[in-house]
Amino acid sequence: MAHVATLILLFPLAGFLFVMLNGRNMSERFVGVVGTGAVAASFVLSVITFVLLLHHHSREVTVKLFDWLNVGTLHVPAALLVDPLSITMCLFVTGISALIHLYSTGYMHAEKDYRKFFLYLNLFAFSMLLLVLANNLVLTFVGWEGVGLCSYWLVSFYFERDAAASAGKKAFIYNRVGDVGLLIAMFLLFSRTGTLTYLGVFARAGTLTPTIATLTVLALLLGATGKSAQIPLFNWLPDAMEGPTPVSALIHAATMVTAGVYLLVRMSPVLAMSSSGRLTIAVIGGVTAFVAATIATSQKDIKKVLAFSTVSQIGYMVLAVGVGAYAAAIFLMISHAFFKALLFLGSGSVIHSLNGEQDLRLMGGLQKYLPLTFPTFLIGWLTISGIPPFAGFWSKGDVLTNVFEHNRALWALGVLTAVLTAYYMSRLFVLTFRGTERFRALTDGHDPHESPWVMTVPLVVLAALSIVGGVIDLPWIHRNSLAGFLSPTFGYVAAGHASTGAQYGLALVDVAAALFGLLAAFSIWRNITSSTRYESSFFEHVWRWDDFYVATIGRPLERVAQFSDDVIEPRVIDGAVSGVALVAARSGEGLRKVQSGFVRHYALATVLGVAVIVVYLVARVG
């Protein structure tokens, strides 16, 4: 198992290195085969490792690669932790990433930086696998920074455009703020437990004082809000849509934004030490889910609707973590990977058919032109809306059932968010595929075209997974379900203490919420024209969140910078330098009088000096 688990990590790295060293001599097709094949091989090895783990006497296997850091009492090996949580993450990260790589071979065809794109994709996959397989927080942090760096490169891939360059910088800076939280958590844990390996920290988690435990949990939450785009660090993610659509799918479905949730779930023994910390996590998740859903109702860009949808769905996962429903959070993470990858890749197919257009107001009536994209996107729409029997109904219902047992107010907020989710996704679906055709000016009178097979095959696979994905953790299956498999990692968390009747009642509420949102959207948008407006400007502009940050952080810092430029730089810094120069100049003027350059003056000085010495010596002898 050790060798197989190591190869899961190494294949994407090998693909990255191979393309980097030989890319200039490789054809576009060969680059795509190598990049896709490397991640597909990791998926196959993940499946093998999963089977081996099922039959292994222990569900926690540490694979030590080599000694890494040994400084004082800090001992950090380069080692992997193969357990149910890490291998579950590997399965969907590699599986979804492989499909996105395959899709990219068609979507990015003829791009001038095609090879560079696959170079970044492979490194992105490697970084995410390192993050989830690491057996200690330091190595996790390396992967954490790796996905942050790759996201910067990929979001700003079209860096010639100012918007793309700015979006990349925004994502990078927001994530660095979150990184401060993770670093603080690491410092606190090491100072109290003396180790940064996960198993070591968990074994000594009981020694944490309530204050330290709460501070650590809040610091971990700050790190998660940066990486997983939660309040107050959520508004970098919609701007990240400036990158190519496969990047959006990779970030939202399989890699970066799931990292924060993974970190919180991984640190569940530490979270157990602070009830106030867990409540804060739940509140942040619930509020983020609702706020992002309201924003999605008024976006014009098809990818931005999906981006805020991701923020909202990740909010559900964080909410589940806050109430201790760790298995439910992972269940939603997996099903979200299926339907969100499907929706993003489907939107990419739509954009591809319209020559790059992303404005929903310029779409409509695409159903008959995209015979494969339309039905697969329809499945993704129904899945995220929570319509049974699709995977989203089971996974979102699992979260809400657990929340209902712990906090009714947050449950009500979650149900309201579910209504909004069905509404904004139905709005997107209608404006894209139904109604009047508003795209003729974009296609020069030609009909939109379906995407090539390398783009449609991933859509079909993801649609199938969205249909049957709920099977992995149906509520009446326990021992052989996802929750049962994950139980050795953080303990099995049942779906609350609600009776069977109550659980059926909650399920009916979920279905009613989805149907209400769906019907509301169809009643409003089915006969819409491009000039009709049913969106809120406040929601469209993200609750003025960016404006608030500009007013409270950006402009004050600009004034500080301007003051530094007007006062500090010329008067303090330049003044200090000029003062040193002035002292040197005046010292030189004084020395010039002594150093006249006339030999007679130097001879006279020498004679006088000798005379003084002689007088001094005579006086001492006398």
Side-chain angles (χ1 to χ4, degrees):
M1 183 189 298
H3 296 302
V4 178
T6 304
L7 289 175
I8 294 174
L9 185 65
L10 293 182
F11 262 106
L13 180 61
F16 164 77
L17 293 174
F18 188 84
V19 174
M20 181 178 67
L21 296 175
N22 303 287
R24 292 184 178 180
N25 302 319
M26 296 166 62
S27 66
E28 181 180 288
R29 182 177 181 180
F30 191 33
V31 169
V33 169
V34 171
T36 305
V39 181
S42 283
F43 172 69
V44 173
L45 293 169
S46 297
V47 174
I48 294 172
T49 306
F50 168 71
V51 174
L52 294 175
L53 189 63
L54 286 176
H55 297 90
H56 198 271
H57 65 277
S58 172
R59 289 290 179 91
E60 291 179 342
V61 180
T62 299
V63 181
K64 185 175 180 180
L65 304 178
F66 54 86
D67 289 323
W68 184 26
L69 297 177
N70 287 295
V71 181
T73 59
L74 176 64
H75 304 288
V76 180
L80 311 180
L81 177 61
V82 181
D83 69 350
L85 179 57
S86 64
I87 203 62
T88 298
M89 296 293 296
C90 286
L91 283 169
F92 84 80
V93 167
T94 56
I96 301 299
S97 295
L99 292 173
I100 293 172
H101 275 69
L102 177 61
Y103 180 96
S104 300
T105 61
Y107 190 89
M108 299 300 290
H109 173 64
E111 286 280 353
K112 66 175 183 177
D113 288 324
Y114 182 93
R115 295 169 182 82
K116 184 188 293 185
F117 183 79
F118 274 87
L119 199 71
Y120 293 159
L121 285 191
N122 271 193
L123 187 60
F124 209 160
F126 164 75
S127 298
M128 187 64 187
L129 290 171
L130 180 63
L131 190 157
V132 301
L133 280 170
N135 92 320
N136 61 79
L137 281 160
V138 180
L139 199 58
T140 289
F141 190 74
V142 175
W144 186 274
E145 292 302 291
V147 295
L149 178 61
C150 291
S151 69
Y152 167 72
W153 283 333
L154 288 167
V155 168
S156 56
F157 187 75
Y158 300 121
F159 60 88
E160 299 91 347
R161 301 200 308 247
D162 290 340
S166 296
K169 290 185 288 186
K170 186 175 182 179
F172 193 80
I173 292 170
Y174 272 63
N175 274 270
R176 299 296 73 73
V177 175
D179 293 348
V180 173
L182 179 52
L183 287 171
I184 290 173
M186 291 167 62
F187 295 149
L188 288 171
L189 288 171
F190 182 72
S191 68
R192 297 293 173 168
T193 65
T195 181
L196 287 173
T197 62
Y198 288 119
L199 298 182
V201 169
F202 300 159
R204 301 167 193 170
T207 63
L208 297 176
T209 64
T211 300
I212 294 298
T214 299
L215 289 175
T216 302
V217 171
L218 294 179
L220 291 170
L221 176 60
L222 177 59
T225 58
K227 200 65 71 181
S228 291
Q230 299 292 284
I231 290 174
L233 301 176
F234 75 101
N235 44 329
W236 66 266
L237 192 59
D239 289 30
M241 297 304 96
E242 292 293 336
T245 298
V247 173
S248 304
L250 192 62
I251 290 176
H252 288 248
T255 55
M256 187 153 167
V257 296
T258 61
V261 179
Y262 164 78
L263 176 69
L264 293 176
V265 171
R266 171 60 78 189
M267 300 300 291
S268 57
V270 176
L271 269 58
M273 298 294 103
S274 174
S275 58
S276 59
R278 294 196 307 276
L279 178 60
T280 304
I281 292 173
V283 170
I284 290 293
V287 172
T288 301
F290 172 74
V291 169
T294 62
I295 296 169
T297 62
S298 300
Q299 298 301 306
K300 306 292 193 304
D301 187 316
I302 185 173
K303 287 174 63 177
K304 285 199 172 183
V305 175
L306 296 177
F308 282 109
S309 169
T310 296
V311 176
S312 183
Q313 296 297 306
I314 296 294
Y316 271 120
M317 299 175 208
V318 174
L319 173 59
V321 171
V323 300
Y326 306 115
I330 298 299
F331 184 23
L332 180 56
M333 184 188 295
I334 295 171
S335 66
H336 177 263
F338 298 156
F339 64 70
K340 188 49 62 69
L342 171 60
L343 290 169
F344 261 114
L345 297 185
S347 71
S349 184
V350 169
I351 295 167
H352 183 264
S353 72
L354 297 177
N355 300 324
E357 183 56 56
Q358 298 180 194
D359 194 331
L360 291 168
R361 295 169 295 180
L362 300 176
M363 298 182 183
L366 290 172
Q367 174 180 346
K368 62 182 178 181
Y369 302 107
L370 305 177
L372 273 174
T373 300
F374 168 71
T376 54
F377 199 97
L378 182 145
I379 291 171
W381 159 55
L382 294 175
T383 305
I384 191 174
S385 296
I387 301 296
F390 301 101
F393 167 75
W394 303 107
S395 57
K396 190 184 297 181
D398 194 9
V399 170
L400 290 175
T401 300
N402 279 278
V403 175
F404 179 82
E405 290 302 307
H406 290 84
N407 191 307
R408 301 296 169 83
L410 288 175
W411 171 80
L413 189 63
V415 171
L416 180 57
T417 302
V419 174
L420 293 172
T421 301
Y423 170 80
Y424 67 68
M425 285 306 305
S426 300
R427 168 181 173 269
L428 181 149
F429 181 79
V430 172
L431 289 178
T432 303
F433 294 101
R434 310 286 293 177
T436 58
E437 298 177 357
R438 306 181 297 276
F439 52 76
R440 286 299 173 186
L442 304 174
T443 57
D444 298 324
H446 301 292
D447 290 341
H449 54 87
E450 183 59 277
S451 301
W453 72 267
V454 290
M455 294 173 64
T456 54
V457 166
L459 296 180
V460 173
V461 174
L462 290 167
L465 290 172
S466 297
I467 295 172
V468 303
V471 174
I472 64 176
D473 205 23
L474 292 176
W476 54 79
I477 300 175
H478 296 301
R479 183 176 178 182
N480 296 317
S481 67
L482 175 67
F485 176 65
L486 291 173
S487 60
T489 302
F490 39 72
Y492 177 71
V493 179
H497 304 289
S499 64
T500 302
Q503 292 186 41
Y504 279 113
L506 291 172
L508 289 175
V509 171
D510 296 341
V511 174
L515 290 176
F516 181 80
L518 187 151
L519 293 174
F522 265 82
S523 66
I524 293 173
W525 295 99
R526 62 181 177 181
N527 296 317
I528 205 70
T529 63
S530 60
S531 60
T532 308
R533 183 179 177 86
Y534 284 92
E535 299 100 351
S536 163
S537 176
F538 180 69
F539 292 156
E540 183 180 355
H541 290 89
V542 196
W543 284 47
R544 305 291 179 182
W545 213 282
D546 283 321
D547 296 338
F548 172 74
Y549 281 165
V550 168
T552 59
I553 300 174
R555 287 175 185 163
L557 288 179
E558 284 182 1
R559 287 194 288 268
V560 170
Q562 190 63 52
F563 176 78
S564 298
D565 185 53
D566 295 339
V567 179
I568 303 298
E569 176 75 19
R571 300 183 184 180
V572 178
I573 298 176
D574 288 350
V577 173
S578 299
V580 171
L582 182 61
V583 170
R586 291 182 177 177
S587 299
E589 290 292 337
L591 289 174
R592 182 181 299 174
K593 297 176 181 179
V594 178
Q595 298 290 334
S596 63
F598 293 110
V599 175
R600 60 180 178 271
H601 292 169
Y602 300 153
L604 178 61
T606 302
V607 171
L608 292 174
V610 171
V612 170
I613 293 173
V614 170
V615 171
Y616 172 74
L617 292 176
V618 170
R620 283 180 59 88
V621 172

